[in-house]
Each structure stands twice: as C-alpha cells, then as structure tokens.
Coordinates of all heavy atoms in Angstrom, one line a residue:
M297 N -15.4 -21.8 16.7 CA -14.5 -22.7 16.0 C -13.3 -21.9 15.4 O -13.5 -20.8 15.0 CB -15.3 -23.3 14.8 CG -14.5 -24.4 14.1 SD -15.4 -25.4 13.0 CE -15.2 -24.4 11.5
I298 N -12.1 -22.5 15.5 CA -10.9 -21.9 15.1 C -10.6 -22.4 13.7 O -10.4 -23.6 13.5 CB -9.8 -22.1 16.0 CG1 -10.1 -21.6 17.4 CG2 -8.5 -21.5 15.5 CD1 -9.0 -21.9 18.4
I299 N -10.5 -21.5 12.7 CA -10.1 -21.9 11.4 C -8.7 -21.3 11.1 O -8.6 -20.1 11.2 CB -11.1 -21.4 10.3 CG1 -12.5 -22.0 10.5 CG2 -10.6 -21.9 8.9 CD1 -13.5 -21.5 9.6
V300 N -7.7 -22.1 10.9 CA -6.4 -21.6 10.6 C -5.9 -22.3 9.4 O -6.2 -23.4 9.1 CB -5.4 -21.8 11.8 CG1 -5.8 -20.9 13.0 CG2 -5.4 -23.3 12.2
I301 N -5.1 -21.6 8.7 CA -4.3 -22.2 7.5 C -2.9 -22.0 7.8 O -2.2 -21.0 7.4 CB -4.7 -21.5 6.2 CG1 -6.2 -21.7 5.9 CG2 -3.9 -22.2 5.1 CD1 -6.7 -21.2 4.6
I302 N -2.3 -22.9 8.6 CA -0.9 -22.9 8.8 C -0.3 -24.2 8.2 O -1.0 -25.2 8.1 CB -0.6 -22.9 10.4 CG1 0.9 -22.7 10.6 CG2 -1.1 -24.1 11.1 CD1 1.3 -22.4 12.0
P303 N 0.9 -24.1 7.7 CA 1.5 -25.3 7.1 C 1.5 -26.4 8.1 O 1.8 -26.2 9.3 CB 3.0 -24.8 6.8 CG 2.9 -23.4 6.6 CD 1.8 -22.9 7.5
V304 N 1.2 -27.6 7.7 CA 1.1 -28.7 8.6 C 2.5 -29.1 9.2 O 2.6 -29.3 10.4 CB 0.5 -30.0 7.9 CG1 0.6 -31.2 8.8 CG2 -0.9 -29.7 7.5
R305 N 3.5 -29.0 8.4 CA 4.8 -29.3 8.9 C 5.8 -28.1 8.8 O 5.6 -27.2 8.0 CB 5.4 -30.5 8.0 CG 4.7 -31.8 8.3 CD 5.3 -32.9 7.4 NE 4.7 -34.2 7.7 CZ 5.1 -35.1 8.6 NH1 6.1 -34.8 9.3 NH2 4.4 -36.2 8.7
C306 N 6.8 -28.2 9.7 CA 7.8 -27.2 9.6 C 8.6 -27.3 8.3 O 8.9 -28.3 7.8 CB 8.8 -27.4 10.8 SG 10.3 -26.4 10.7
F307 N 8.8 -26.1 7.6 CA 9.4 -26.1 6.3 C 10.9 -26.7 6.4 O 11.3 -27.3 5.4 CB 9.5 -24.7 5.8 CG 8.2 -24.2 5.3 CD1 7.9 -22.8 5.5 CD2 7.2 -25.0 4.8 CE1 6.7 -22.3 5.1 CE2 6.0 -24.5 4.4 CZ 5.7 -23.1 4.5
S308 N 11.5 -26.5 7.5 CA 12.9 -26.8 7.6 C 13.2 -28.3 8.0 O 13.9 -29.0 7.4 CB 13.7 -25.9 8.6 OG 13.6 -24.6 8.1
C309 N 12.5 -28.7 9.1 CA 12.8 -30.0 9.7 C 11.7 -31.0 9.4 O 11.9 -32.2 9.6 CB 13.1 -29.9 11.1 SG 11.7 -29.6 12.2
G310 N 10.5 -30.6 9.0 CA 9.4 -31.5 8.7 C 8.6 -31.9 9.9 O 7.7 -32.8 9.8
R311 N 8.9 -31.4 11.1 CA 8.1 -31.7 12.3 C 6.6 -31.2 12.1 O 6.4 -30.1 11.5 CB 8.7 -31.1 13.5 CG 7.9 -31.4 14.8 CD 8.5 -30.6 16.0 NE 8.1 -31.0 17.3 CZ 6.9 -30.7 17.8 NH1 6.1 -30.0 17.1 NH2 6.6 -31.2 19.0
V312 N 5.6 -32.0 12.5 CA 4.2 -31.6 12.5 C 4.0 -30.5 13.5 O 4.2 -30.7 14.7 CB 3.3 -32.8 12.7 CG1 1.8 -32.3 12.7 CG2 3.5 -33.8 11.6
I313 N 3.6 -29.3 13.0 CA 3.4 -28.2 13.9 C 2.0 -27.6 13.9 O 1.7 -26.8 14.8 CB 4.4 -27.0 13.6 CG1 4.4 -26.7 12.1 CG2 5.8 -27.3 14.1 CD1 4.1 -25.3 11.7
A314 N 1.2 -28.1 13.0 CA -0.2 -27.5 12.9 C -1.0 -27.6 14.2 O -1.6 -26.7 14.6 CB -0.9 -28.1 11.7
S315 N -0.9 -28.8 14.8 CA -1.7 -29.0 16.0 C -1.1 -28.2 17.2 O -1.8 -27.7 18.1 CB -1.7 -30.5 16.4 OG -0.4 -31.0 16.4
D316 N 0.2 -28.0 17.2 CA 0.8 -27.2 18.2 C 0.5 -25.7 18.1 O 0.4 -25.0 19.1 CB 2.4 -27.3 18.2 CG 2.8 -28.7 18.5 OD1 2.2 -29.4 19.3 OD2 3.9 -29.1 18.0
Y317 N 0.2 -25.3 16.9 CA -0.2 -23.9 16.7 C -1.5 -23.6 17.4 O -1.6 -22.5 18.1 CB -0.3 -23.6 15.2 CG -0.7 -22.2 14.9 CD1 0.2 -21.1 15.1 CD2 -2.0 -21.8 14.6 CE1 -0.1 -19.8 14.9 CE2 -2.4 -20.5 14.4 CZ -1.4 -19.5 14.5 OH -1.8 -18.2 14.3
V318 N -2.5 -24.4 17.3 CA -3.7 -24.2 17.9 C -3.6 -24.2 19.4 O -4.1 -23.3 20.1 CB -4.8 -25.3 17.5 CG1 -6.1 -25.1 18.3 CG2 -5.0 -25.2 16.0
A319 N -2.8 -25.1 20.0 CA -2.5 -25.1 21.4 C -1.8 -23.8 21.8 O -2.1 -23.2 22.9 CB -1.7 -26.3 21.8
F320 N -0.8 -23.4 21.0 CA -0.1 -22.2 21.3 C -1.0 -21.0 21.4 O -0.9 -20.2 22.4 CB 1.0 -22.0 20.3 CG 1.8 -20.7 20.4 CD1 2.9 -20.7 21.3 CD2 1.5 -19.6 19.7 CE1 3.6 -19.5 21.4 CE2 2.2 -18.4 19.8 CZ 3.3 -18.4 20.7
V321 N -1.9 -20.8 20.4 CA -2.8 -19.7 20.3 C -3.7 -19.7 21.5 O -4.0 -18.7 22.1 CB -3.6 -19.7 19.0 CG1 -4.7 -18.6 19.0 CG2 -2.6 -19.4 17.8
N322 N -4.2 -20.9 21.9 CA -5.1 -21.0 23.1 C -4.4 -20.5 24.3 O -5.0 -19.8 25.1 CB -5.6 -22.4 23.2 CG -6.6 -22.8 22.2 OD1 -7.3 -21.9 21.6 ND2 -6.8 -24.1 21.9
R323 N -3.1 -20.9 24.5 CA -2.4 -20.5 25.7 C -2.1 -19.0 25.8 O -2.3 -18.4 26.8 CB -1.0 -21.3 25.8 CG -1.1 -22.8 26.0 CD -1.2 -23.2 27.4 NE 0.0 -22.8 28.2 CZ 1.0 -23.5 28.5 NH1 1.1 -24.7 28.0 NH2 2.0 -23.0 29.2
V324 N -1.8 -18.5 24.6 CA -1.5 -17.0 24.5 C -2.8 -16.2 24.8 O -2.8 -15.3 25.6 CB -1.0 -16.6 23.1 CG1 -1.0 -15.1 22.9 CG2 0.5 -17.2 23.0
N325 N -3.9 -16.7 24.2 CA -5.2 -16.0 24.4 C -5.7 -16.1 25.8 O -6.3 -15.2 26.4 CB -6.3 -16.6 23.5 CG -6.1 -16.1 22.0 OD1 -5.5 -15.0 21.8 ND2 -6.6 -16.8 21.1
F326 N -5.3 -17.2 26.5 CA -5.7 -17.4 27.9 C -5.1 -16.3 28.7 O -5.7 -15.7 29.6 CB -5.2 -18.8 28.4 CG -5.6 -19.1 29.8 CD1 -6.9 -19.6 30.1 CD2 -4.7 -18.8 30.8 CE1 -7.3 -19.9 31.4 CE2 -5.1 -19.1 32.2 CZ -6.4 -19.6 32.4
I327 N -3.8 -16.1 28.5 CA -3.1 -15.0 29.2 C -3.7 -13.6 28.9 O -3.9 -12.8 29.8 CB -1.6 -15.0 28.9 CG1 -0.9 -16.3 29.5 CG2 -0.9 -13.8 29.5 CD1 0.5 -16.5 29.0
R328 N -3.9 -13.4 27.6 CA -4.5 -12.1 27.2 C -5.8 -11.8 27.9 O -6.1 -10.7 28.3 CB -4.7 -12.1 25.7 CG -3.4 -11.9 24.9 CD -3.7 -11.9 23.4 NE -2.5 -11.7 22.6 CZ -2.3 -12.1 21.4 NH1 -3.2 -12.9 20.8 NH2 -1.2 -11.9 20.8
E329 N -6.7 -12.8 27.9 CA -8.0 -12.6 28.4 C -8.1 -12.6 29.9 O -8.8 -11.8 30.5 CB -9.0 -13.8 27.9 CG -9.3 -13.6 26.4 CD -9.9 -14.8 25.8 OE1 -10.3 -15.7 26.6 OE2 -9.9 -14.9 24.6
N330 N -7.3 -13.4 30.6 CA -7.3 -13.5 32.1 C -6.5 -12.4 32.7 O -6.9 -11.9 33.8 CB -6.9 -14.8 32.6 CG -8.0 -15.9 32.3 OD1 -8.9 -16.0 33.1 ND2 -7.8 -16.6 31.2
E331 N -5.4 -12.0 32.1 CA -4.5 -11.0 32.8 C -4.5 -9.7 32.0 O -3.8 -8.8 32.4 CB -3.1 -11.6 32.9 CG -3.2 -12.9 33.7 CD -1.8 -13.5 34.0 OE1 -0.9 -12.7 34.2 OE2 -1.7 -14.7 34.1
R332 N -5.2 -9.6 30.9 CA -5.3 -8.4 30.1 C -3.9 -7.8 29.8 O -3.7 -6.6 30.0 CB -6.1 -7.3 30.9 CG -7.5 -7.8 31.3 CD -8.6 -7.0 30.7 NE -9.9 -7.5 30.9 CZ -10.6 -8.3 30.1 NH1 -10.1 -8.5 28.9 NH2 -11.8 -8.8 30.4
R333 N -3.1 -8.6 29.3 CA -1.7 -8.2 28.9 C -1.2 -9.2 27.9 O -1.7 -10.3 27.8 CB -0.8 -8.0 30.1 CG -0.5 -9.4 30.8 CD 0.5 -9.3 31.9 NE 0.6 -10.5 32.6 CZ 1.3 -11.6 32.1 NH1 2.0 -11.5 31.0 NH2 1.4 -12.7 32.8
E334 N -0.1 -8.8 27.2 CA 0.5 -9.7 26.3 C 1.5 -10.6 27.1 O 2.0 -10.2 28.1 CB 1.3 -8.9 25.2 CG 0.5 -8.1 24.2 CD -0.4 -9.1 23.4 OE1 0.1 -10.0 22.8 OE2 -1.6 -8.8 23.3
P335 N 1.6 -11.8 26.6 CA 2.6 -12.7 27.3 C 4.0 -12.2 27.2 O 4.4 -11.7 26.2 CB 2.4 -14.1 26.6 CG 1.7 -13.8 25.4 CD 0.9 -12.5 25.5
T336 N 4.8 -12.4 28.2 CA 6.2 -12.0 28.2 C 7.0 -13.0 27.3 O 6.5 -14.2 27.1 CB 6.8 -12.0 29.6 OG1 6.7 -13.4 30.1 CG2 6.0 -11.1 30.5
P337 N 8.2 -12.6 26.9 CA 9.0 -13.6 26.1 C 9.3 -14.9 26.9 O 9.3 -16.0 26.3 CB 10.3 -12.8 25.9 CG 9.9 -11.4 25.9 CD 8.7 -11.3 26.9
E338 N 9.4 -14.7 28.2 CA 9.7 -15.9 29.1 C 8.5 -16.9 29.0 O 8.6 -18.1 29.0 CB 10.0 -15.5 30.5 CG 11.3 -14.8 30.7 CD 11.4 -13.4 30.2 OE1 10.3 -12.8 30.1 OE2 12.5 -12.9 29.9
E339 N 7.3 -16.3 29.0 CA 6.1 -17.1 29.0 C 5.9 -17.8 27.6 O 5.5 -19.0 27.6 CB 4.8 -16.3 29.3 CG 4.7 -15.9 30.8 CD 3.7 -14.8 31.0 OE1 3.4 -14.0 30.1 OE2 3.1 -14.8 32.1
I340 N 6.3 -17.1 26.6 CA 6.2 -17.7 25.2 C 7.2 -18.9 25.2 O 6.8 -19.9 24.7 CB 6.7 -16.6 24.2 CG1 5.7 -15.4 24.2 CG2 6.8 -17.3 22.8 CD1 4.4 -15.7 23.4
E341 N 8.4 -18.7 25.7 CA 9.4 -19.8 25.8 C 8.8 -21.0 26.5 O 9.0 -22.1 26.1 CB 10.7 -19.3 26.4 CG 11.8 -20.3 26.3 CD 13.1 -19.7 26.8 OE1 13.1 -18.6 27.4 OE2 14.1 -20.4 26.6
R342 N 8.2 -20.7 27.7 CA 7.6 -21.7 28.5 C 6.6 -22.5 27.7 O 6.5 -23.8 27.8 CB 7.1 -21.1 29.8 CG 6.4 -22.1 30.7 CD 7.4 -22.8 31.5 NE 6.8 -24.0 32.1 CZ 6.2 -24.0 33.2 NH1 6.1 -22.9 33.9 NH2 5.7 -25.1 33.7
I343 N 5.7 -21.8 27.0 CA 4.7 -22.5 26.2 C 5.3 -23.4 25.2 O 4.9 -24.5 25.0 CB 3.7 -21.4 25.5 CG1 2.9 -20.6 26.6 CG2 2.8 -22.1 24.6 CD1 2.2 -19.4 26.1
F344 N 6.3 -22.9 24.5 CA 7.0 -23.7 23.5 C 7.6 -25.0 24.1 O 7.5 -26.1 23.6 CB 8.1 -22.9 22.8 CG 7.5 -22.1 21.6 CD1 8.0 -20.8 21.5 CD2 6.7 -22.6 20.7 CE1 7.5 -20.0 20.4 CE2 6.2 -21.9 19.6 CZ 6.6 -20.6 19.5
D345 N 8.2 -24.8 25.3 CA 8.8 -25.9 26.0 C 7.8 -27.0 26.4 O 8.0 -28.2 26.2 CB 9.6 -25.4 27.2 CG 10.9 -24.7 26.9 OD1 11.3 -24.9 25.8 OD2 11.4 -24.0 27.8
D346 N 6.6 -26.4 26.9 CA 5.5 -27.4 27.3 C 5.0 -28.1 26.1 O 4.6 -29.3 26.3 CB 4.4 -26.6 27.9 CG 4.8 -26.0 29.3 OD1 5.8 -26.5 29.8 OD2 4.0 -25.2 29.9
L347 N 4.9 -27.5 25.0 CA 4.4 -28.2 23.8 C 5.4 -29.1 23.1 O 5.1 -29.8 22.2 CB 3.9 -27.1 22.8 CG 2.7 -26.3 23.2 CD1 2.4 -25.2 22.1 CD2 1.5 -27.1 23.4
G348 N 6.7 -29.0 23.6 CA 7.7 -29.8 23.0 C 8.2 -29.3 21.7 O 8.9 -30.0 20.9
V349 N 8.0 -28.0 21.4 CA 8.5 -27.3 20.2 C 9.9 -26.8 20.6 O 10.0 -25.7 21.2 CB 7.6 -26.2 19.7 CG1 8.2 -25.6 18.5 CG2 6.2 -26.8 19.5
K350 N 10.9 -27.6 20.2 CA 12.3 -27.2 20.8 C 13.1 -26.4 19.8 O 13.8 -25.5 20.1 CB 13.0 -28.5 21.1 CG 12.4 -29.3 22.3 CD 13.2 -30.4 22.7 CE 12.6 -31.2 23.8 NZ 12.2 -32.5 23.5
R351 N 13.1 -26.8 18.5 CA 14.0 -26.2 17.5 C 13.5 -24.8 17.1 O 12.3 -24.6 17.0 CB 14.1 -27.1 16.3 CG 14.9 -28.3 16.5 CD 15.0 -29.2 15.3 NE 13.7 -29.9 15.0 CZ 13.4 -31.0 15.5 NH1 14.2 -31.7 16.4 NH2 12.2 -31.6 15.2
Y352 N 14.4 -23.9 16.8 CA 13.9 -22.6 16.5 C 13.3 -22.5 15.1 O 12.6 -21.6 14.8 CB 15.0 -21.5 16.7 CG 16.3 -21.7 15.9 CD1 16.4 -21.3 14.6 CD2 17.5 -22.2 16.5 CE1 17.6 -21.4 13.9 CE2 18.6 -22.3 15.8 CZ 18.7 -21.9 14.5 OH 19.8 -22.0 13.7
C353 N 13.6 -23.5 14.2 CA 13.0 -23.5 12.9 C 11.4 -23.7 13.1 O 10.6 -23.1 12.4 CB 13.6 -24.6 12.0 SG 13.5 -26.2 12.6
C354 N 11.1 -24.6 14.0 CA 9.6 -24.8 14.3 C 9.0 -23.6 15.0 O 7.9 -23.3 14.7 CB 9.5 -26.1 15.1 SG 10.3 -27.5 14.5
R355 N 9.8 -23.0 15.9 CA 9.2 -21.9 16.7 C 9.0 -20.7 15.8 O 8.0 -20.0 15.9 CB 10.2 -21.5 17.8 CG 10.3 -22.6 18.9 CD 11.2 -22.2 20.0 NE 11.2 -23.2 21.0 CZ 11.6 -23.0 22.3 NH1 12.1 -21.9 22.7 NH2 11.5 -24.0 23.2
R356 N 9.8 -20.5 14.8 CA 9.6 -19.4 13.9 C 8.3 -19.6 13.0 O 7.7 -18.7 12.6 CB 10.8 -19.1 13.0 CG 11.2 -20.1 12.0 CD 10.6 -20.0 10.6 NE 10.5 -21.3 10.0 CZ 11.3 -21.8 9.1 NH1 12.3 -21.0 8.7 NH2 11.2 -23.0 8.6
M357 N 8.1 -20.9 12.7 CA 6.8 -21.2 11.9 C 5.6 -20.7 12.7 O 4.7 -20.1 12.1 CB 6.7 -22.7 11.7 CG 7.8 -23.4 10.9 SD 7.7 -22.9 9.1 CE 6.2 -23.6 8.6
I358 N 5.6 -21.0 14.0 CA 4.4 -20.7 14.8 C 4.4 -19.2 15.1 O 3.4 -18.5 14.9 CB 4.4 -21.5 16.1 CG1 4.1 -23.0 15.7 CG2 3.4 -21.0 17.1 CD1 4.3 -23.9 16.9
L359 N 5.6 -18.6 15.5 CA 5.6 -17.2 15.9 C 5.3 -16.3 14.7 O 4.7 -15.2 14.9 CB 7.0 -16.9 16.4 CG 7.2 -17.1 17.9 CD1 8.6 -16.6 18.3 CD2 6.2 -16.3 18.8
S360 N 5.8 -16.6 13.5 CA 5.7 -15.7 12.4 C 4.4 -15.9 11.6 O 4.2 -15.2 10.6 CB 6.9 -15.9 11.5 OG 7.0 -17.2 11.0
H361 N 3.6 -16.9 12.0 CA 2.4 -17.1 11.2 C 1.3 -16.0 11.4 O 1.1 -15.6 12.6 CB 1.8 -18.5 11.6 CG 0.6 -18.8 10.8 ND1 0.6 -19.1 9.5 CD2 -0.7 -18.9 11.2 CE1 -0.6 -19.3 9.1 NE2 -1.4 -19.2 10.1
V362 N 0.7 -15.6 10.4 CA -0.4 -14.6 10.4 C -1.6 -15.2 9.8 O -1.6 -15.7 8.7 CB 0.0 -13.3 9.7 CG1 -1.2 -12.3 9.7 CG2 1.3 -12.7 10.2
D363 N -2.7 -15.3 10.6 CA -3.9 -15.9 10.1 C -4.6 -14.9 9.2 O -5.0 -13.8 9.7 CB -4.8 -16.2 11.3 CG -4.4 -17.6 11.9 OD1 -4.0 -18.4 11.2 OD2 -4.6 -17.7 13.1
L364 N -4.8 -15.2 8.0 CA -5.5 -14.3 7.1 C -6.8 -14.8 6.6 O -7.5 -14.2 5.9 CB -4.6 -14.1 5.8 CG -3.3 -13.3 6.0 CD1 -2.5 -13.3 4.8 CD2 -3.6 -11.9 6.5
I365 N -7.2 -16.0 7.2 CA -8.5 -16.6 6.7 C -9.7 -15.7 7.0 O -10.6 -15.7 6.1 CB -8.7 -18.0 7.4 CG1 -9.9 -18.7 6.8 CG2 -8.8 -17.9 8.9 CD1 -9.8 -19.1 5.4
D366 N -9.7 -14.9 8.1 CA -10.8 -14.1 8.3 C -10.9 -13.0 7.3 O -12.0 -12.5 7.0 CB -10.7 -13.5 9.7 CG -11.0 -14.5 10.8 OD1 -11.7 -15.5 10.5 OD2 -10.6 -14.3 11.9
E367 N -9.8 -12.5 6.7 CA -9.8 -11.5 5.7 C -10.3 -12.1 4.4 O -11.1 -11.5 3.6 CB -8.4 -10.9 5.4 CG -7.5 -10.8 6.6 CD -8.1 -9.8 7.6 OE1 -8.7 -8.8 7.2 OE2 -8.0 -10.1 8.9
V368 N -9.9 -13.4 4.1 CA -10.3 -14.0 2.9 C -11.8 -14.4 2.9 O -12.5 -14.3 1.9 CB -9.4 -15.3 2.6 CG1 -9.9 -16.0 1.4 CG2 -8.0 -14.8 2.5
I369 N -12.3 -14.9 4.0 CA -13.6 -15.4 4.1 C -14.7 -14.4 3.8 O -15.8 -14.7 3.4 CB -13.8 -16.0 5.5 CG1 -14.4 -17.5 5.4 CG2 -14.7 -15.2 6.4 CD1 -14.2 -18.3 6.7
A370 N -14.4 -13.1 3.9 CA -15.3 -12.1 3.5 C -15.7 -12.1 2.1 O -16.7 -11.6 1.7 CB -14.7 -10.7 3.9
F371 N -14.8 -12.7 1.2 CA -15.0 -12.8 -0.2 C -15.7 -14.1 -0.6 O -15.7 -14.4 -1.8 CB -13.7 -12.6 -1.0 CG -13.1 -11.2 -0.7 CD1 -12.1 -11.1 0.2 CD2 -13.6 -10.1 -1.2 CE1 -11.5 -9.9 0.5 CE2 -13.1 -8.8 -1.0 CZ -12.0 -8.7 -0.1
D372 N -16.1 -14.8 0.4 CA -16.7 -16.2 0.1 C -18.0 -16.0 -0.8 O -18.8 -15.2 -0.6 CB -17.1 -16.8 1.4 CG -17.7 -18.2 1.2 OD1 -17.3 -18.8 0.2 OD2 -18.5 -18.6 2.0
Ligands
LIG555 ZN1 11.5 -27.3 12.5

C-alpha cells in the first residue's frame, strides 16, 4: 500500500494533483524496476503529458514533493 501526504490541490492553480502523484510515482518506479535506470527528462515530460498535468505550477508540486511519511511512521 502506498501512503503519501501530498497536497490534494496545486497551491497556485487549484488543480487536483494528489491522484496524479500516485500515477506518476508508479510510472517512474516502473522504469526504475524494469530498466534499472532513472527516467530521462523526456520520459518525465511524457508522463506528465499522459496524465494531463500541463501547467508547470502543477508539475513542480509533483516533482518537488518528498514523501516523509515513512520517516514519521517510525514514531507511531
Ligand atoms: Zn497548478
């Protein structure tokens, strides 16, 4: 199960991005696991285009997000 705490909406334009984040991470992890490398910038752009994340305000929400829940959950 994936537990993430990402803002539901983009801070700038209000677009819902939380569900796109999970899809984005799944696509990136697919490339990492199957091809044993990091996705190229072109592939990242392609993933955003496929998900319909067009504006760069929304893209920065997803790209710059760092999941800290696993660090916090240790103190549960
Ligand atoms: Zn936005």
Side-chain angles (χ1 to χ4, degrees):
M297 190 169 87
I298 301 174
I299 302 172
V300 291
I301 301 184
I302 187 168
V304 172
R305 288 178 181 271
C306 172
F307 289 146
S308 299
C309 72
R311 183 186 191 280
V312 176
I313 45 123
S315 53
D316 292 330
Y317 179 75
V318 176
F320 177 83
V321 169
N322 284 339
R323 294 272 301 264
V324 168
N325 284 339
F326 183 84
I327 293 172
R328 283 179 178 152
E329 286 165 14
N330 285 281
E331 304 186 29
R332 305 242 174 260
R333 62 174 175 82
E334 291 297 307
T336 63
E338 290 75 21
E339 286 169 332
I340 298 281
E341 188 178 8
R342 179 76 198 276
I343 293 170
F344 277 136
D345 288 343
D346 287 350
L347 294 174
V349 181
K350 295 187 180 115
R351 287 179 289 274
Y352 60 81
C353 57
C354 306
R355 293 185 176 196
R356 67 89 207 260
M357 295 292 293
I358 290 173
L359 271 183
S360 62
H361 180 70
V362 179
D363 280 326
L364 293 173
I365 185 66
D366 288 338
E367 323 298 322
V368 176
I369 228 162
F371 299 101
D372 182 28

